[in-house]
Amino acid sequence: MFAAVLVVAPADGGLATLVTLPLAAVVGFMVYRIKDDRKFLLRLFVAALLVRVLLGTLIYTFHWQEFFGGDAFTYDFFGDALLRSWAGDKYYQGMVDLFTGGGRSSGWGMIYMVAVIYKVIGRNMLAIQYVNAVLGAATVPVAYLIGLEIFPNKRTARTCALLSAFFPSLVLWSAQGLKDGPIVFLLTVSMLATLKLGNRLSVKYMVALALALCALITLRFYVFYIVVIAVTAAFVLGRRPLSAKSFARQFIIMITIGVVLGYFGVSRYASAQFETFGSLRNLQVMRQDAARSAQSGFGEDVDVSTPAGALGAIPLGFSYLLFAPFPWQFGSLRALITLPEMIVWWCCIPLLVMGLWFTIKHRARQVAPILIFTVLLTLTYSVLQGNVGTAYRQRAQLLIFYFVFVAVGFVLMKEKGEEKTRKRKEEKEKRSRPR
């Protein structure tokens, strides 16, 4: 694959490969250290990476960035501008300050990631795509561990990992120079660390959770708030019955993470962003811009500037977030490309409902952080979204956690089918026995 990259993209392919292979090797080594299903996870990680590298190379070679995700050009430009500002260029420094707004904008962390990579190898959009591809592939073993942590069942964990590895939208958004891939990776790391810390105190997972939260606020601040709420609620509820030992453990974890976030200045960035975006009136402006920005907008007359309006917008927004694009909206090429995925996703909905019901009934305490986060982010996007394309893109941030419940529903259905087959076989054997 990478040899072919050198042929089709000789200008940027070599340096992009030099960045990608060491990063992939580090992730591969971490996957190798996982005891459960090591061989399966290594193969799946490599396969997921190659699929993303292939798609990313096609997008780069045929200049499809604008068609699939024009934001990649924004991050490329401002990442290069940030690099120039580090060299003392005041003009580009002013442009970067305008973009970041002193930490008030959402997504400024992405341009720092781009600038750091450009500092090492020079301006290279393909390298950004490949780094995101590694992060997208690294999400797969994390999703496996999340599934295994909630349900000690390899079938469930494998199903969740396979869906995370090859579901088209997850592949698409992590194969481009967009912030979606890093966001999904950080979300899965945050949830896995929270689940692990719910069982026992671990410095490794405390560091992972704190760093993931610090990175999240630089990419999408309101997702950071929702994760913090979910994590806090999970530690308060606890995965096990409350005892003096578990209370002390959870108190230490929360204080430690709070200190780390404070040390990195997260409260300053959070307050600045909350001042800018933390009102329903500002959310209404954002929603209307999305609804009017393209032919795929919807609910332009919806007003979320009041609490009643925001609540009233949830049913419409939820239906678009979960099910769009609908069959009658496949008039454009962008929508038509999503049709195979949407057919699979619509078929997964009954499994999602079945798995969600079973999980709440039997494992509510264990799955609390994921459940709280998923519900809150789903409701947030239901209020904010006014565009079919954006709703489709934002759904990717929730899919991995939906897949946990889809996997549970799939395994339940499969086990019921196997049980029926076994009973039929036993009945058949009884009837065939001589009397």
Side-chain angles (χ1 to χ4, degrees):
M1 179 71 75
F2 284 104
V5 168
L6 298 178
V7 175
V8 300
D12 293 330
L15 289 174
T17 301
L18 287 177
V19 172
T20 306
L21 291 181
L23 182 61
V26 171
V27 177
F29 176 72
M30 296 175 70
V31 174
Y32 178 78
R33 296 185 62 186
I34 299 173
K35 295 179 181 179
D36 296 301
D37 255 357
R38 176 185 299 167
K39 188 175 181 180
F40 168 79
L41 289 176
L42 275 172
R43 289 180 170 180
L44 195 59
F45 166 70
V46 173
L49 175 60
L50 293 180
V51 167
R52 285 160 172 78
V53 167
L54 174 60
L55 181 58
T57 304
L58 291 174
I59 291 173
Y60 176 84
T61 303
F62 293 101
H63 308 290
W64 290 337
Q65 293 96 331
E66 188 64 41
F67 180 81
F68 286 111
D71 289 350
F73 290 117
T74 301
Y75 299 130
D76 167 70
F77 175 81
F78 282 103
D80 181 66
L82 179 61
L83 182 59
R84 292 171 184 266
S85 73
W86 290 344
D89 193 311
K90 300 297 183 183
Y91 172 75
Y92 283 103
Q93 180 64 60
M95 297 185 69
V96 170
D97 291 341
L98 186 64
F99 178 80
T100 61
R104 287 181 170 84
S105 69
S106 182
W108 60 268
M110 186 66 187
I111 70 170
Y112 276 81
M113 171 183 155
V114 172
V116 169
I117 294 173
Y118 286 0
K119 178 71 174 177
V120 176
I121 64 169
R123 193 170 184 176
N124 189 323
M125 287 185 70
L126 187 61
I128 307 301
Q129 291 180 250
Y130 285 180
V131 169
N132 279 348
V134 175
L135 294 177
T139 303
V140 175
V142 181
Y144 175 93
L145 293 174
I146 288 174
L148 197 63
E149 188 69 21
I150 297 172
F151 292 95
N153 182 307
K154 285 190 177 181
R155 271 186 176 178
T156 303
R158 282 190 168 199
T159 303
C160 186
L162 285 166
L163 288 170
S164 303
F166 302 118
F167 209 70
S169 58
L170 290 177
V171 174
L172 175 63
W173 301 125
S174 60
Q176 302 182 72
L178 305 172
K179 61 183 179 181
D180 301 71
I183 288 174
V184 173
F185 172 72
L186 292 170
L187 287 175
T188 54
V189 170
S190 299
M191 290 298 109
L192 177 61
T194 303
L195 291 171
K196 291 288 188 179
L197 289 171
N199 281 331
R200 63 184 180 87
L201 188 64
S202 168
V203 175
K204 175 176 68 174
Y205 285 110
M206 276 200 297
V207 171
L209 178 57
L211 293 180
L213 290 174
C214 289
L216 270 174
I217 198 171
T218 71
L219 296 172
R220 187 152 287 156
F221 76 97
Y222 54 84
V223 173
F224 162 82
Y225 284 125
I226 293 172
V227 172
V228 168
I229 292 172
V231 170
T232 304
F235 287 143
V236 170
L237 294 173
R239 295 189 66 188
R240 296 177 179 177
L242 185 64
S243 65
K245 183 179 178 180
S246 64
F247 176 80
R249 179 186 68 242
Q250 288 155 206
F251 181 78
I252 291 171
I253 292 169
M254 292 174 68
I255 292 297
T256 304
I257 292 174
V259 169
V260 172
L261 294 179
Y263 176 79
F264 283 102
V266 168
S267 59
R268 176 167 59 87
Y269 292 120
S271 61
Q273 291 171 335
F274 191 79
E275 289 176 5
T276 305
F277 301 101
S279 71
L280 290 176
R281 189 176 298 277
N282 289 333
L283 296 182
Q284 171 63 14
V285 173
M286 294 168 58
R287 193 191 184 287
Q288 280 193 333
D289 288 343
R292 295 171 179 173
S293 62
Q295 294 180 350
S296 57
F298 65 88
E300 188 176 335
D301 57 337
V302 173
D303 184 3
V304 299
S305 61
T306 64
L311 289 173
I314 289 176
L316 177 65
F318 177 79
S319 62
Y320 273 88
L321 177 66
L322 205 62
F323 301 108
F326 295 103
W328 58 86
Q329 294 173 325
F330 291 110
S332 66
L333 179 59
R334 278 190 180 91
L336 193 60
I337 290 173
T338 68
L339 180 58
E341 174 185 337
M342 293 311 301
I343 292 174
V344 175
W345 174 240
W346 292 331
C347 292
C348 285
I349 296 298
L351 299 177
L352 172 64
V353 175
M354 185 190 307
L356 183 60
W357 174 251
F358 180 86
T359 304
I360 293 174
K361 187 176 180 181
H362 297 283
R363 310 281 293 184
R365 187 186 291 269
Q366 287 77 7
V367 81
I370 291 178
L371 195 60
I372 294 169
F373 166 77
T374 305
V375 170
L376 289 179
L377 190 58
T378 298
L379 293 176
T380 300
Y381 282 147
S382 297
V383 173
L384 285 178
Q385 296 308 332
N387 186 281
V388 174
T390 307
Y392 172 79
R393 179 173 169 179
Q394 305 294 16
R395 185 167 60 225
Q397 296 172 22
L398 290 158
L399 278 176
I400 285 184
F401 305 108
Y402 289 153
F403 287 159
V404 173
F405 306 118
V406 171
V408 173
F410 172 77
V411 171
L412 287 173
M413 185 180 69
K414 191 173 181 62
E415 288 179 351
K416 287 180 180 179
E418 290 173 350
E419 181 65 18
K420 289 180 180 178
T421 302
R422 186 185 63 81
K423 288 182 177 180
R424 284 198 297 266
K425 186 177 180 180
E426 289 178 353
E427 291 175 359
K428 186 177 180 181
E429 289 177 352
K430 287 180 181 179
R431 288 195 297 266
S432 61
R433 290 174 187 169
R435 295 181 181 179

